[in-house]
Amino acid sequence: MSLGTHAEVMREAGANTRVVDAGGGTVIPGFVEGHMHLFAGAAELSHLQLFGTRGFDELKARTEAYIRQNPGDDLIIGEQADYVIISEHEPLSRHHLDRIVKDRPILVFSPDHHTAWANTLALEKVGLLKGKKLGPGNEIVMGPDGLAQGELREGEAIDPVRKLSKKGSRDRLGLTTGGEPDPYPSKAEFEADLETMRVGLRHCAAHGITFVQNMDGNIYTLELLEELQRRGELTARVRVPFHFKNFMDIAMLEKASQMAARWQGDMLCSGFVKLFMDGVADSQTAVMIEDYANRPGWKGEPLFEPDRFAAIATEADRRGLQIAVHAIGDGAVRIVLDGYEAAQKANGRRDSRHRVEHVEVIHPDDIGRFGKLGVIASMQPPHPPGCHGLPLEPYLSNIGEARWQWAFAWTALRAQGARLVFGTDWPVSDIDPMWSLQSAMTRGRWNEAMPDNRQSLHQAIHSYTADGAWAGFMEGRTGVLKEGMLADICVLPVDLQRTDPTTFKGIRPRMTVCDGRVVFEG
């Protein structure tokens, strides 16, 4: 790729060169989506969409309209129902859902996907109506009548209901089990999954995304993407991890090493391990150092005991694998940082670029450890309460005002040497990078004691491009516009430096170029 003055660049043009005039718009590197779920996000586009729904009547109307358009007896899956969809004082329950649909199972997910609500029929079908003993961090919320209320917290509680879907769960295997489809999909099923992946890739290209760092994965995900690459249809660079679950033996890291060895190209690669340390603050499954503000005696339960995580991190690091861990509460963040420090002491310091995903609440004593240990803070501008249409509750009351200043602490982390990588966690949040830039630049404060966490345009774009490329070990190939780099480009129709950031949402690229090929043109 050549850069320079207009005259210098035009001297490179040949007879078959296409010249694109940006027309006073902005030309930036293609967006690097630092944290998303490509296959699952694409599959969810056809589900019942409930973002912004408020009150029972609107929930009923939207659900009934969806059922009319999607008749049958299959599981109805709803997405993006926030925790106060009924009201701030009345939680969603199976009884609400029963009043909408009794003769068909329904499962409605919160935006973070760590909580879901099912109707009575769905709970009966999978034997959860009377409750069930589950592992740490998972819960079936029970009512005073001894029956499940309908609220299911974390995967072990949710997955049995989701398996009622006739579509199967191949799109979520990389999240739920880290395993492979068994039996292996038929040719028709494989082709259907290819089309789902195409839908996701088209969605990325339409939003200027040229590099996806997927946060769930297995061999099957890579095989789908590899087949699209063979057919010339892979329109973004994709990194796919091995998802290590807490029920696995440490020997399973050999599979991660095999995936890393088999896939290591510029367009498709593996090379890292993803784990979950906790849940989310909204359902009080995130792990805190001190008790939840409104639940004395409860801090949450980690999915890995600290010593066990340190052993896993040390072995993964010894194998040369990058590690990415979902950690939302300050207790979970500390466990992960301790594990990374243990790995560094055992194996010696190397260019590991280990990551902590989300870092929603952090103890002030741990902020400087990111820079000291060389750990990436992978964070999502859509996630702070009040951004992207998210309600303030129950999040703020759960963590308590004393922790507000240490929630989504972008400014403090940057000031103490952390490298911030931005993304959306799609489908948890809308995929639109421009909306994320808007949230990063315009985020408000919850009280006067809060630090100003607004990011500059340069900081936000850098975290969405160059820093994301660095996190994926691609900084010498993409993430910036300079001569000699791979041609990953996003052409926007406006001059961002002259545009009010409160209007960024919905600005769509005129053109997306990945690896020198036009993959989207609006």
Side-chain angles (χ1 to χ4, degrees):
M1 183 172 72
S2 296
L3 295 174
T5 66
H6 178 76
E8 290 170 339
V9 172
M10 291 307 295
R11 281 199 292 270
E12 300 290 327
N16 298 318
T17 299
R18 179 183 174 191
V19 177
V20 178
D21 186 345
T26 302
V27 180
I28 59 173
F31 287 109
V32 179
E33 170 53 76
H35 182 125
M36 73 179 298
H37 304 276
L38 180 60
F39 194 20
E44 288 185 15
L45 289 173
S46 63
H47 294 171
L48 167 64
Q49 301 299 317
L50 295 170
F51 178 78
T53 301
R54 290 291 179 270
F56 176 79
D57 290 344
E58 187 177 357
L59 172 63
K60 184 174 187 289
R62 286 197 182 193
T63 305
E64 289 178 342
Y66 180 85
I67 292 171
R68 286 193 295 271
Q69 296 168 3
N70 298 271
D73 60 357
D74 195 13
L75 176 70
I76 302 161
I77 303 177
E79 307 291 352
Q80 296 290 320
D82 66 48
Y83 287 85
V84 291
I85 190 169
I86 300 300
S87 78
E88 288 193 8
H89 309 291
E90 184 181 5
L92 180 62
S93 72
R94 64 182 171 93
H95 305 294
H96 295 107
L97 297 175
D98 287 347
R99 288 165 56 192
I100 299 171
V101 54
K102 279 188 175 182
D103 58 353
R104 188 172 170 186
I106 183 170
L107 183 68
V108 174
F109 280 91
S110 63
D112 54 45
H113 291 61
H114 287 258
T115 299
W117 297 267
N119 65 352
T120 301
L121 179 60
L123 295 168
E124 287 177 335
K125 279 181 172 288
V126 297
L128 296 182
L129 186 59
K130 296 182 180 179
K132 183 181 179 181
K133 184 174 175 57
L134 302 174
N138 297 267
E139 183 181 359
I140 299 166
V141 177
M142 304 301 292
D145 59 357
L147 299 177
Q149 287 279 68
E151 182 173 330
L152 307 170
R153 297 177 178 175
E154 302 300 331
E156 198 176 334
I158 298 168
D159 293 341
V161 179
R162 198 182 187 287
K163 287 178 181 177
L164 292 173
S165 172
K166 294 176 182 176
K167 290 197 310 181
S169 57
R170 293 188 302 276
D171 58 305
R172 295 186 66 83
L173 281 177
L175 270 168
T176 56
T177 71
E180 309 301 327
D182 184 19
Y184 197 82
S186 66
K187 183 177 180 181
E189 290 171 330
F190 188 82
E191 289 294 331
D193 290 345
L194 282 179
E195 180 55 28
T196 298
M197 199 68 90
R198 286 190 194 97
V199 168
L201 288 166
R202 285 196 293 267
H203 203 52
C204 289
H207 288 86
I209 296 167
T210 57
F211 185 2
V212 168
Q213 295 183 43
N214 215 48
M215 283 295 142
D216 65 90
N218 54 8
I219 289 173
Y220 185 64
T221 302
L222 285 155
E223 288 175 339
L224 288 169
L225 292 163
E226 186 176 53
E227 178 60 21
L228 290 176
Q229 184 179 22
R230 189 186 69 80
R231 298 184 189 186
E233 299 179 81
L234 185 58
T235 54
R237 307 180 194 283
V238 187
R239 273 189 102 215
V240 177
F242 168 64
H243 197 138
F244 192 100
K245 304 292 288 186
N246 63 349
F247 52 77
M248 291 178 177
D249 185 87
I250 198 168
M252 283 297 293
L253 287 173
E254 177 59 25
K255 181 178 178 180
S257 292
Q258 292 171 1
M259 291 166 64
R262 180 174 169 185
W263 287 283
Q264 48 182 309
D266 281 344
M267 289 297 295
L268 182 61
C269 66
S270 185
F272 74 112
V273 179
K274 169 72 186 301
L275 304 92
F276 276 80
M277 183 54 68
D278 65 349
V280 293
D282 304 79
S283 64
Q284 300 184 340
T285 53
V287 174
M288 300 294 180
I289 292 173
E290 302 294 339
D291 293 351
Y292 277 86
N294 51 9
R295 191 176 175 185
W298 177 250
K299 298 178 175 65
E301 297 176 309
L303 297 177
F304 293 86
E305 289 300 319
D307 288 347
R308 182 166 182 245
F309 174 73
I312 294 166
T314 299
E315 174 60 13
D317 182 77
R318 185 191 68 79
R319 290 171 174 267
L321 298 164
Q322 186 185 32
I323 308 166
V325 185
H326 167 118
I328 279 181
D330 54 8
V333 172
R334 178 167 290 178
I335 291 170
V336 175
L337 291 174
D338 287 348
Y340 290 162
E341 187 170 357
Q344 198 170 101
K345 288 178 179 177
N347 301 325
R349 190 177 183 109
R350 68 178 182 87
D351 188 15
S352 58
R353 307 187 193 182
H354 297 324
R355 310 164 49 128
V356 183
E357 307 300 315
H358 309 306
V359 200
E360 290 192 4
V361 182
I362 187 169
H363 191 281
D365 292 349
D366 291 324
I367 292 175
R369 298 178 71 192
F370 278 81
K372 180 180 178 182
L373 294 169
V375 173
I376 295 165
S378 171
M379 305 181 78
Q380 295 71 44
H383 287 187
C387 292
H388 267 58
L390 291 179
L392 298 178
E393 298 295 349
Y395 198 103
L396 297 190
S397 293
N398 283 354
I399 68 171
E401 192 167 359
R403 280 184 281 227
W404 289 1
Q405 63 180 315
W406 308 118
F408 306 91
W410 303 333
T411 298
L413 282 161
R414 280 198 195 278
Q416 294 199 39
R419 191 183 293 252
L420 268 62
V421 170
F422 282 165
T424 61
D425 201 5
W426 185 66
V428 168
S429 299
D430 191 288
I431 201 172
D432 183 7
M434 294 304 301
W435 194 4
S436 286
L437 293 180
Q438 175 176 320
S439 289
M441 295 175 66
T442 63
R443 176 182 163 193
R445 298 188 296 172
W446 303 322
N447 65 17
E448 292 303 314
M450 286 277 293
D452 185 353
N453 279 294
R454 289 177 297 176
Q455 306 290 286
S456 70
L457 177 63
H458 175 79
Q459 286 174 322
I461 290 178
H462 205 270
S463 287
Y464 237 121
T465 54
D467 285 327
W470 187 87
F473 293 89
M474 286 286 285
E475 71 276 13
R477 309 285 278 157
T478 190
V480 297
L481 298 179
K482 69 178 183 179
E483 193 165 354
M485 302 290 277
L486 298 170
D488 295 348
I489 302 168
C490 176
V491 181
L492 295 164
V494 299
D495 181 348
L496 290 184
Q497 296 184 93
R498 297 173 180 268
T499 302
D500 181 350
T502 65
T503 67
F504 278 9
K505 177 186 175 183
I507 294 174
R508 294 286 180 266
R510 281 184 51 197
M511 178 179 287
T512 305
V513 179
C514 181
D515 208 41
R517 181 163 59 112
V518 176
V519 295
F520 171 79
E521 195 163 2

